[in-house]
Amino acid sequence: MTYRWTTHRVFDGSFDYVGRASLNMWWVARAAAEETLQGSPLAPAWLKLFRTHLSENDKHWLVWRGDLAASAELRRAYSGLYGRFFARALLSEHLGLSNFTSLERNGVTVGSVRVERTKRGDIPDWIAWDDANSRYVLCEAKGSLASNDFLRPSGPQCARDGKKQFSRVRTLEGTRVIHPAQWVAATRWATDDRGGDPVTLLWDPPVDEHSFGEEEAKIHRTALTRAWLDSLAPALGWKDAGDLLAKERSQTAITIRAEPGPIPDSEDWPPIESRYTPAGRSITPLGTQAPGSDFLLSVVPIAAGPTERFGYPYDWPPLVPSPIYPNQDLLVPQPSQTYAHNGSYITAMITPFGITPIRSQSDYERLLRQQQAARDLEEPAMLVGIPLGLDPSRRKDRNTWVDGAGISSPDGLSVFDLRRIDTEPLETLKS
């Protein structure tokens, strides 16, 4: 259940890549946890790595059970909410973006940089940091159940609408206008009832992108990291970034050890009762559309014959290199980690009932009770945390530990399945 496949498209004006890509659901869970800590409505499904919503009929592709929800109102809600989760995951895992900070209704100020609304209408969702290119990035998330235009040369309407939102803000460093990169991340959902091909999209027609020199980049990286920590701190039980990063936080830190390896089938969450009886589903491979149609032809022809290697749904030639995927490592499932993860974190527990910061001995005892309930498959729970000693000025490290137990990066939010880890307080907790 950890990996699901989509047809994946990346367009930046100079190249148009279409192929297959796998999504590690832990990246999506990490994005969902971040959204939850920053105030998004809690969606219990992600606590089980979306186990309650993913199709039982098709365990390779990103296909939702039934029609995603019983009513049109709920389908729209899940499409929008999951659209944000998957967009963050794509932007983080594929592009290395970090420190997503909401623009809210009228913009946001981060250090000496200000994003401000200039026109009426929707504006982008986030400002984020691109450490590889030392620049800010404006980001917009989209999700759609009904679109059939994700592979058209002109791009889907939702991506074009998303790009319009960037024109409704301007970004200033002091009094000088700067031009961050602009990415729309979108997902075309597939469901048991609707069929169709799931498609993920990263869309970025070129803009005059503004990059900073090394010293300036350090200043801006620090400012945006602290703004991101400000947005997480209250849910973790602290006032702001300064409070979260204080030396005395070691007195409330939890040490987490996670062994490598997938979650055994015996520990998988049982699916929810479904009111649907989904029909069988067939995939129409890219590249088989009639000549002259307005759909792109795939650059990755599919050969017949299934294979079970890492959940690979089909046998096909190697993926075509593209500028943002020079070695293709991000597009295929990775083998299990070969070493255990061990680290200390400032933590909070997330259950279907809310968020509990872990700050005291009584909090930790509650965590242990919740862990046993999760291991008994009574109620899911995740432990989320910020690494102790995080340095906001340090360049972002893409060396992420991700396996069946969870996902951890040395300078970002980490998320663990509470069933699959061992914990102990770093120091004696207060009662």
Side-chain angles (χ1 to χ4, degrees), residues 148-166:
N148 61 3
D149 57 359
F150 266 58
L151 300 180
R152 286 179 178 160
S154 59
Q157 185 63 48
C158 69
R160 298 199 299 274
D161 290 344
K163 290 300 289 190
K164 291 177 184 177
Q165 295 176 214
F166 297 118

Side-chain angles (χ1 to χ4, degrees), residues 234-315:
L236 291 167
W238 307 101
K239 180 181 177 182
D240 54 23
D243 199 16
L244 189 62
L245 297 174
K247 290 183 178 180
E248 54 265 32
R249 292 296 80 80
S250 64
Q251 298 170 10
T252 61
I254 300 297
T255 296
I256 297 173
R257 180 176 175 83
E259 294 293 335
I263 295 177
D265 290 342
S266 61
E267 295 183 25
D268 202 1
W269 288 101
I272 57 173
E273 291 297 324
S274 176
R275 4 180 347 182
Y276 307 100
T277 306
R281 176 174 175 275
S282 61
I283 298 287
T284 301
L286 290 174
T288 61
Q289 293 87 0
S293 73
D294 59 351
F295 286 83
L296 292 169
L297 294 183
S298 172
V299 298
V300 186
I302 297 176
T307 173
E308 294 301 319
R309 180 178 179 271
F310 298 135
Y312 215 61
Y314 289 96
D315 223 355

